[in-house]
Each structure stands twice: as C-alpha cells, then as structure tokens.
Amino acid sequence: MESKHSYSRLIMFLSLSLLLSACSSTTTSEKATSKPQPIVAPDVLTQIDQPAQYYIDKIALANKPQAISWQLLAARALIAEGHTQPALDILVSVERNPLSTKQLFEVALIKSEAYLLEKRYQQAADTLAFSSTLDTSEQAHWQRFYLLNATIAELLNNNAKAVEYRVALSDFLDSELHSSNNNRLWESVSVVPNSELELLILRFKTENPTLAGWYQLAALAQQHRTDPKLLIESLQIWKQDYPQHPALSGFPIELVKAMATTPYTPSQIAVLAPLTGNRAVAGKAIRDGMLSAYYQDKRAEDIALQFYDTATTSADTLYLQAIEDGADFVIGPLLKSNLSKVLPLVKDVPLVSLNKLVDAPAADNIYYFSLSSNDEAIAAAKKMQRDGIKQPLVLAPNNRTGNRLAAEFAQQWALLTEGTSETYKYKSRSDMQNTVTSLFSVTSSNQRINLMKNLVGADIKSTTRSRRDIDAIYIIATPSEAMLAIPYIITTQNPYAPQVAVYASSRTHGNNLSKSQSRDLNGLIFSDMPWLLNPDRELKQQTLALWPNMSKIQQNLFAMGYDSFKLIPNLLQLRNFPNLRLAGQTGILYINDDGIIEREFSWAKYRSGKIKLEETDPETKSAP
C-alpha cells in the first residue's frame, strides 16, 4: 500500500521542481497584435506559465527544429498538470529526431519526472543513469537532476543515497532554498541506521567532508538520543570539527533547540499523591519509586522533595499550598478527578501529571505521564506493522476493557495502514473455544462437511479447513484465559497455511507462572515495561529486598515514580527534539507535541516454556 508520506513527497517534489524552474529560467510572453507573429524557437528551460494546450498549439505552427522545443515544453506542462502518458507520447516523437546534448538531458529529466509521478520509481532512477558524456552547463538541469534523484532515493528507502544527492543539490541552490533542502536532507540522514552511518563517515571523511559531516551529525544524534546532556556536549565538539559545514547556516531545528535548551533545575519539588485511604497502595508505590531515584541522584542534596496527601485534602487546595510553600516543580496528581481540578491552576510552575485526560490542554510547561493499557494496544498495532503483518484480528472479552482496547487497536491499525481489523469477542472462559472456532470460520467448514455427508454418505473422509486470510491475532486476555485460547488457536488453524502469530499486552503475561503454564503460552509475543522484562538488575534486586511482597501493579507504579523523577532534567530536550529518547524503567520514553510522555515497550516471546526477549541483536537472552 502506498503510504501517505510517499504521496506527500511526490507533491512536494512537483512543487519544488516548479519553483526551481521558476527561479532559474527565462520567461516567454506574447503581446497581442493584429499581425501574425513568427513562431520563435523557445529555450527548453523556459518557465512553464501557460496551460499545456498553449504549448501544444505552437507545435503545429513551428518548423521541425522549433517544434522540438515546443514539444518539450508541452511535455513539461502536461506533467505539471498530472497528465503523464500524453507527455511520454510526446517524448517518443521527440526522440525520433537528432537532438542536442541539452535536449537529450531535458528528455531524460522529463521522462524521469513522468515515471516518478506514475510511481514507477526504479524506471525513474534508471532513466537518469545516462552516460557522464551527456553533460550540461545549465544550473536548472542540475537542480532538477539532483532533486529527482534525491526524491526517488527517498521513495525507494535508500536514505543514504538521498543524502548524497541533496548535498550535491545544495551547490546549485540559492540561499532561499538551502533551508528547505537541509530540512529534507536531515529527515533522510536521521533515519539511516547507525551501523551504516559509521561506515559512511569513514568512506567520505576525506573524499567529501561535507557529506561526512552530515553523517557524523546524524550518528551523534542517534548515539546520544537517550542522554540529552551528552548530546549537547557532542554537538559542540562537532561544530568545532566542522566550522564551515553548511548545516551551521541552516541547522536542523530540533538540534538547535536541543543545544539552546536550559534543562529544568528545580530546588523544591511537590508531589501530589494519595498516601492514605483506599488508594494509598498506589500512591506509596509511586512515592517509593520517586524516593529511590531521588537518593541515587547526586544533585538530590540541592533539591527539597515534599509529598502532599490528596486523600486528606482537595488536590487543588494542595497544589496552591505547594506553590505557596515555594515549589518550583510539581509531580501529580494521580487520579483523573484530581487532575481536572489542578490543570486550570497551572501557570508558570512546570507540572508532570501522573495521568492524562482525553481532552487535556496542551501547554509548554505541562507534561502527561500515565501507564494506560491503551498505550499497549497502540504499541501492538505498531509492532505488527513493523513485523509485516497484513491482516490482524482481535480476540477480546465482551466487557468494557475488552471493547476499549479492541477499539484502540483498530483505530491505530487503520491510522497506520488504512486497513481494517476484525474483532471477535468472548463472553467467558467457557465461551472461548466457540469464539476461536468462529473466528477461524471452522463452523461454516463443518457445516459444509455435514452437508456433503448427507448428500453422498457418512463414509466421506474430510478435514476441517480454517480461513487463510488472517496472519496475526491480538488477544486481550488474562494469563489463564490465554492459556485456554492459545491451544485452541494452534489446533484450529489450517495445517497447510503459515501459523498465525499471537500478540498480547502485559495483561496476558503472568509473573509467577509454572513451567507447564508457561508452555501453554508458547508462541505468545507480548509487551511489557523494561522494569519487568529487562530491568536494571541491581536496582530491582535492591527494591525487592526492601519490599519483597510487591505485586506486579505495585512494581509498575514504583517504576513510574522512579521515571517521573528521572525525567525532570530531560523534559525540555525531549520535547524540543522529537528523535530524542530516554531509557526509563517504564519504557523508552519520548514526548509528543502535546506534552504526552510516550513509551516504547520491551517485547518478548514464550519459547519452550521460557520468556525470551525480542531484540535486534540475533542473540536473544532470557528475561528474569
């Protein structure tokens, strides 16, 4: 499926191509007169400022040498209007004639532009691979040549090559266009894998220092994306190593912000959380996580950390009290009802809430941090798309949680792929087998078998066949429900079709399952926070030594409290630099434009009764 991003690249290419043409070509105009005027042969680089029909009409009135120029202009005008096939037809006619080097170059460019708009990307690239003897001194030709090559490389996901072409393009641009070219160049170079960047830096360090500088800049951004302070220090060194680099005149905006940002350095932090009453278990787990981070921080001696119990006093009253007490940073509250009371009061003092609202206001100094199960449903859709899944299906309980998470998954899947995902709901554990049978359409298969038996006799040998269009199931279930469902899924699948992958959230992953129970989950791919799957072992051991009876929910909240404190000095860099990440206990953390702290989860799979982390490194390791 062609992505919206690819389509937008084509539109941007066409717009920029026309702009380049306008900036560097001559114009033609005709004054109205009663006398017939001779048809003067135009320059093939003349600006296209008339409808295609205007140029087509000129062809019939011109002699053969003049007609070729009008034909090339007509082809360009047709492409500008989106009519690629008529343009290609004109080029076939043009190529029957002896052509100058300038005309041959123009034919190649027009043909490539037509193939590009028809999304025949490889043909568009091949058309530009003409002999180096086909040279031109025209700046406008080189502008279009490098812009075309860069756009095609981007669409073919060859981002390193796209960077090379955009660096070459910059030599033929005026100052007004440098900034937009640098921004597109940065988009490409920032997604080149770090291992590839290192090789490119070595290759071009002497051959093309400008190109090497871009690769070095991207490598620094990737290597230090989880350490904002180190990133800023590295960027300063880069500026010394490349004092004349063109990026300095149009530095990527997120890097400019990252270097110019002064981190939050609060002296007094107020924490609003329930510390007594029926929510005390949650509030105390968050408090303990925060204190753990606080006492590990060398700067803690300069920070006063004060806790306010929202179970005894209204959250809005406590917030105002905290500000009056001198708090210059606030964390909390935890409950949505309390958050809605506090948000209207926030002005100059930054706040990291421990929850988020559906229509929460966006403000520069407000951040929303939550452990919503919705986030895992969204993460599952993204994970499946990365894994190449084409047709997922959701198996969910027919209750409020199941309906909410199934809808969240379906919405995210549609956003990513413009495709749909079916949802099947089970009423109870006893209904699980019937639901699995139904989702694989085995019921209708059995009905066809019984019909054939009635028609030709009971001795007919037949095998139940399940549908083949499903390639993954997202199961929303408890561990016990999943242990019941997965064997049904395995035995019900068509034995001649590839096995359907089964994905789940941390809800389906049990902490204390026996080996036989874990075997019942074999094949299950699930998400969870690093604290539970790939933790800081020393920190976790210390924590469980102090609180040996912490439940899984309490551990989640402990990790949230820990991260909420660790985030403070990094919040502004994370917000200003979209590619920046911070490795936290609850996930790999980043911040979107609305101030919501997003999480990238760890993924693991049950294999032979054991949990194996899914990593990019081929060597997987067991989770604790």
Side-chain angles (χ1 to χ4, degrees), residues 167-179:
V167 167
L169 173 62
S170 64
D171 291 337
F172 299 93
L173 297 177
D174 57 32
S175 57
E176 292 182 10
L177 293 172
H178 266 291
S179 180

Side-chain angles (χ1 to χ4, degrees), residues 448-463:
R448 289 192 296 271
I449 292 170
N450 291 334
L451 176 61
M452 290 300 294
K453 285 182 177 180
N454 290 333
L455 290 174
V456 301
D459 292 335
I460 183 174
K461 293 183 179 180
S462 58
T463 302

Side-chain angles (χ1 to χ4, degrees), residues 333 335-345 357:
L335 304 181
K336 288 184 179 181
S337 56
N338 286 335
L339 180 57
S340 62
K341 294 177 184 177
V342 168
L343 286 176
L345 304 176
L357 305 177

Side-chain angles (χ1 to χ4, degrees), residues 161 164 198-208 212:
K161 202 67 180 174
E164 288 186 46
E198 295 297 336
L199 295 175
L200 291 167
I201 293 167
L202 291 174
R203 175 185 168 189
F204 290 105
K205 191 169 185 179
T206 303
E207 179 184 337
N208 190 331

Side-chain angles (χ1 to χ4, degrees), residues 124-409:
D126 294 342
T127 302
L128 296 177
F130 41 70
S131 170
S132 59
T133 58
L134 190 59
D135 204 350
T136 177
S137 59
E138 298 288 349
Q139 176 170 315
H141 268 159
W142 287 119
Q143 285 177 341
R144 286 164 61 202
F145 174 83
Y146 287 120
L147 177 60
L148 267 168
N149 272 302
T151 304
I152 295 164
E154 290 166 0
L155 290 164
L156 290 172
N157 293 317
N158 190 347
N159 291 294
K161 202 67 180 174
V163 173
E164 288 186 46
Y165 286 125
R166 286 199 176 274
V167 167
L169 173 62
S170 64
D171 291 337
F172 299 93
L173 297 177
D174 57 32
S175 57
E176 292 182 10
L177 293 172
H178 266 291
S179 180
S180 61
N181 186 57
N182 279 358
N183 287 337
R184 293 302 301 275
L185 193 159
W186 178 249
E187 286 181 23
S188 293
V189 75
S190 61
V191 295
V192 176
N194 191 60
S195 56
E196 188 176 346
L197 287 172
E198 295 297 336
L199 295 175
L200 291 167
I201 293 167
L202 291 174
R203 175 185 168 189
F204 290 105
K205 191 169 185 179
T206 303
E207 179 184 337
N208 190 331
T210 298
L211 190 54
W214 280 110
Y215 292 137
Q216 181 70 56
L217 191 61
L220 292 175
Q222 289 190 30
Q223 291 164 6
H224 305 312
R225 67 177 192 159
T226 59
D227 191 334
K229 184 180 178 181
L230 189 55
L231 173 64
I232 293 170
E233 293 173 356
S234 299
L235 290 177
Q236 296 297 344
I237 295 172
W238 180 91
K239 289 171 71 175
Q240 295 174 12
D241 292 342
Y242 297 93
Q244 305 299 321
H245 198 277
L248 293 171
S249 62
F251 217 52
I253 188 64
E254 60 264 32
L255 294 182
V256 172
K257 289 181 178 179
M259 289 188 293
T261 298
T262 302
Y264 291 126
T265 54
S267 58
Q268 184 170 317
I269 301 172
V271 183
L272 311 181
L275 301 175
T276 58
N278 57 4
R279 303 279 183 165
V281 172
K284 288 179 178 178
I286 290 172
R287 178 199 63 188
D288 294 341
M290 211 171 294
L291 286 171
S292 180
Y294 175 76
Y295 286 119
Q296 289 183 26
D297 196 321
K298 294 179 181 178
R299 297 162 297 178
E301 59 186 27
D302 299 322
I303 302 172
L305 192 59
Q306 296 188 11
F307 292 87
Y308 296 80
D309 186 4
T310 57
T312 60
T313 308
S314 178
D316 50 347
T317 301
L318 289 177
Y319 176 82
L320 293 174
Q321 181 63 50
I323 301 301
E324 187 177 336
D325 291 345
D328 52 0
F329 201 98
V330 177
I331 299 176
L334 174 63
L335 304 181
K336 288 184 179 181
S337 56
N338 286 335
L339 180 57
S340 62
K341 294 177 184 177
V342 168
L343 286 176
L345 304 176
V346 179
K347 293 181 180 178
D348 300 326
V349 176
L351 177 137
V352 174
S353 75
L354 299 175
N355 214 321
K356 61 185 177 184
L357 305 177
V358 175
D359 297 315
D364 289 344
N365 61 343
I366 297 178
Y367 303 84
Y368 300 97
F369 190 21
S370 77
L371 302 183
S372 171
S373 54
N374 289 14
D375 296 339
E376 288 196 78
I378 292 170
K382 293 179 178 178
K383 165 74 171 168
M384 287 190 193
Q385 188 206 30
R386 290 196 303 270
D387 289 350
I389 299 300
K390 302 299 182 185
Q391 187 56 61
L393 181 147
V394 181
L395 177 62
N398 192 13
N399 56 32
R400 180 180 296 180
T401 299
N403 294 337
R404 172 171 53 83
L405 296 180
E408 198 73 49
F409 176 90

Side-chain angles (χ1 to χ4, degrees), residues 35-184:
K35 295 182 180 180
Q37 296 293 314
I39 303 299
V40 179
D43 190 306
V44 295
L45 296 178
T46 296
Q47 178 185 341
I48 301 298
D49 57 2
Q50 299 291 337
Q53 191 59 50
Y54 169 87
Y55 302 100
I56 292 171
D57 291 341
K58 299 294 184 184
I59 297 172
L61 300 175
N63 58 33
K64 182 170 285 190
Q66 295 169 339
I68 291 173
S69 294
W70 287 112
Q71 283 175 302
L72 293 174
L73 292 175
R76 283 175 56 201
L78 285 166
I79 289 175
E81 294 174 6
H83 305 305
T84 55
Q85 192 53 54
L88 290 170
D89 292 340
I90 288 177
L91 294 181
V92 171
S93 174
V94 168
E95 289 179 305
R96 297 192 184 107
N97 302 286
L99 302 175
S100 66
T101 299
K102 186 176 183 179
Q103 290 170 331
L104 286 168
F105 207 108
E106 185 67 20
V107 167
L109 292 176
I110 296 173
K111 191 180 293 186
S112 183
E113 288 167 350
Y115 290 148
L116 176 60
L117 294 184
E118 289 184 348
K119 301 177 184 178
R120 295 154 66 180
Y121 304 141
Q122 194 55 56
Q123 282 182 272
D126 294 342
T127 302
L128 296 177
F130 41 70
S131 170
S132 59
T133 58
L134 190 59
D135 204 350
T136 177
S137 59
E138 298 288 349
Q139 176 170 315
H141 268 159
W142 287 119
Q143 285 177 341
R144 286 164 61 202
F145 174 83
Y146 287 120
L147 177 60
L148 267 168
N149 272 302
T151 304
I152 295 164
E154 290 166 0
L155 290 164
L156 290 172
N157 293 317
N158 190 347
N159 291 294
K161 202 67 180 174
V163 173
E164 288 186 46
Y165 286 125
R166 286 199 176 274
V167 167
L169 173 62
S170 64
D171 291 337
F172 299 93
L173 297 177
D174 57 32
S175 57
E176 292 182 10
L177 293 172
H178 266 291
S179 180
S180 61
N181 186 57
N182 279 358
N183 287 337
R184 293 302 301 275

